[in-house]
Amino acid sequence: MDVPEHKEIRQLARRFLEEAGPALAEYEAREAFPWPLVRRMGELGFLGVFVPEELGGAGLDFWAYIALLEELGGYASLRSILSVQQSLVLTPLLAYGTQDQKERYVPRLARGEVLGAYGLTEPEAGSDAGSLRTRAYRDGDHYVLEGQKTFISHANVAEVFLIFAKTDPEKGNKGITAFLVERKDGVRTTPLKGKLGLKAADTGMVFLEGVRVPQDRVLGKEGEGFKIAMATLDTGRISLAAGAVGLMQRALDLSLGYAKERHQFGRPIASFQLVQAHLAEMKLDLEASRLLTYQAVAKKLRGERYTLEASMAKLFASEAANRVAYRAIQVHGGYGFFEEYEVARLYRDARILTLYEGTSEIQKLVIGAHLTGVRAFGGHGEA
Ligand code: CAA
C-alpha cells in the first residue's frame, strides 16, 4: 500500500491532528462530542474516503481508509467516529442499498453532514446478537418498530440508524431484517456517560416505541438482516484492527521520544536494555498487527470471504494494543500515570478494543469455527 494518494491522505490527517489533537483533549475532559472536529473531518473527505465521488465521497480506495484509521488511531474518539460512519453504516448501505436508498442517504453521510449509527446490540443481546428482541411488525406498506438498543455509538448524534429487528421471530436469526430508520421517524435516545475511554465519542441507548417506517426502508431483503449485520462487522473488525495499529504506533512514538529525553543514572533511559526490551516488544506487536490487518484487507479486496482474517486481525491487534499501552506507561514510569501524559489516555482507550464489535472471546469462537468447520453454538458447515 501507500501509493502517492495514500501518503497524501496520511499527511492531510497529520496536519488535521496538529490542531485537532490538542483540541480533542478538552472534549475528552468534558465527555463532550467534538462537533467542530467532526465537521472538519467531513469537509476534508475523511467520513466518506472510499465512497465514490458521484455519491459525495472522496473516491479513494479502501487502503486510503486504512491509512486514515492508522493516522487517527492514537485519537481513538475521532477514529471511532470514522469507523462507525464508514464501516458500520456506509459499507452496508453501499453493499445492500437500492439506488434510491444510496442516493437518499450516502451523500450526506459521506460528506459528514449527518452521522449514522449501527443498532444491533440490546440489553439482553450482546455477544449473542441473534437473540435480539426488537420487533418489526408489518402494518400495510409500513413496518412498526418496537424495542431498545444499548451501547450504540452515535446514538445521540446520528440522524440515520441501521436497526436490526425481528420480522419473523420463529425463524431465529433468519427472521431478522435490517431497517434504515431516521431520527425524525420518532427515534428516542439517551446518553450513556462515564466510559473508561473514548470519552469524546458518543454512546447511548436507542428507544424504538411504535416507530413507523415505510417498506422501502428495508436494507437488503427481509430475513437477511443477520447476515448483513455479520458481514458488516467483518469490515468493522478490520477497521478496529487498523485503529489499534495507529494507537500502538502513537504509544511507541511517544515512548521512544520520552525514553531518549528522560535521564536516570546519568544516562537517557533509552540506553537501558530493559527499556529497549519494552520498545522491541511494542514494535513487534505493532508490526505483527499491521501485517494481519493488511492480510485481511487484501483478502477483502480480492472479493473473497475474509471473516477469519478479520477476526484474527481484530483479536490480535486489540489485545496487542492493550499490551503496548501498558508498556508505554511502564516506559514513562510515574509520569505515565497522569492524564497530562497522552499514554494515560491511550491506555484507557485501548481497553474497549477487546470488547466492542465482538469480544476477544467471540473472535476466538469465529476462528475456531473456521478451523474446525463446527459452528460456535452447535451448527455444522461453513462458518
Ligand atoms: N458474513 C456473512 N454471513 C455470516 C457471517 C459473516 N461474517 N457470520 C455468520 N454468518 C451467517 C452464517 O453463515 C449463518 O448463515 P446460514 O445459517 O445460512 O449458514 C448465519 O449467519 C448464522 O451464523 P452462526 O450460526 O455462526 O450465528 P450464531 O448465532 O451462532 O452467532 C457469533 C455467531 C459469531 C457468536 C455472532 O453472533 C457474533 O459475531 N456475535 C458478536 C456480536 C458483535 O460483534 N456485536 C458487536 C456489536 S456492534 C458494536 O460493537 C458497534 C459499535 O457501536 C461500535
Side-chain angles (χ1 to χ4, degrees), residues 121 127 153 174 227 230 234 237 305 307 357-358 375:
T121 304
S127 289
S153 303
K174 288 199 168 47
K227 285 197 179 183
M230 291 297 117
D234 288 345
R237 288 167 186 170
R305 174 95 179 251
T307 303
E357 299 200 32
R375 284 211 194 125

Side-chain angles (χ1 to χ4, degrees), residues 241 245 248 284-294 313 316-317 320-321:
V245 167
M248 286 184 260
L284 199 59
D285 264 338
L286 163 64
E287 298 303 341
S289 303
R290 204 191 302 270
L291 288 174
L292 281 170
T293 305
Y294 291 1
F316 189 86

Side-chain angles (χ1 to χ4, degrees), residues 15-167:
R15 281 204 295 278
F16 163 72
L17 285 170
E18 280 167 21
E19 283 183 22
L24 182 67
E26 264 187 51
Y27 293 98
E28 296 265 336
R30 288 187 285 122
E31 284 194 65
F33 192 70
W35 273 117
L37 306 183
V38 175
R39 299 268 178 251
R40 185 74 191 125
M41 290 202 291
E43 286 161 12
L44 290 169
F46 289 2
L47 293 171
V49 195
F50 57 79
V51 173
E53 280 174 281
E54 60 273 21
L55 282 172
L60 300 177
D61 61 10
F62 198 80
W63 285 115
Y65 174 50
I66 296 295
L68 201 52
L69 290 165
E70 283 185 22
E71 292 302 323
L72 268 66
Y75 303 85
S77 292
L78 293 178
R79 192 276 309 146
S80 146
I81 295 165
L82 287 185
S83 313
V84 174
Q85 186 84 341
Q86 293 176 91
S87 289
L88 299 186
V89 182
L90 280 163
T91 295
L93 253 168
L94 290 170
Y96 303 97
T98 60
Q99 193 54 29
D100 190 48
Q101 288 171 337
K102 287 184 200 168
E103 282 166 14
R104 182 162 179 178
Y105 295 108
V106 173
R108 284 188 304 148
L109 287 162
R111 289 194 290 261
E113 291 163 12
V114 295
L115 292 176
Y118 175 87
L120 178 67
T121 304
E122 299 184 359
E124 303 300 328
S127 289
D128 186 6
S131 71
L132 62 85
R133 292 183 188 170
T134 294
R135 282 295 313 268
Y137 303 95
R138 194 79 189 238
D139 180 17
D141 56 2
H142 278 67
Y143 288 88
V144 180
L145 273 70
E146 291 283 348
Q148 48 177 276
K149 302 282 174 183
T150 194
F151 297 149
I152 303 304
S153 303
H154 291 180
N156 306 286
V157 293
E159 294 301 325
V160 182
F161 298 80
L162 179 55
I163 296 289
F164 297 91
K166 283 212 164 128
T167 35

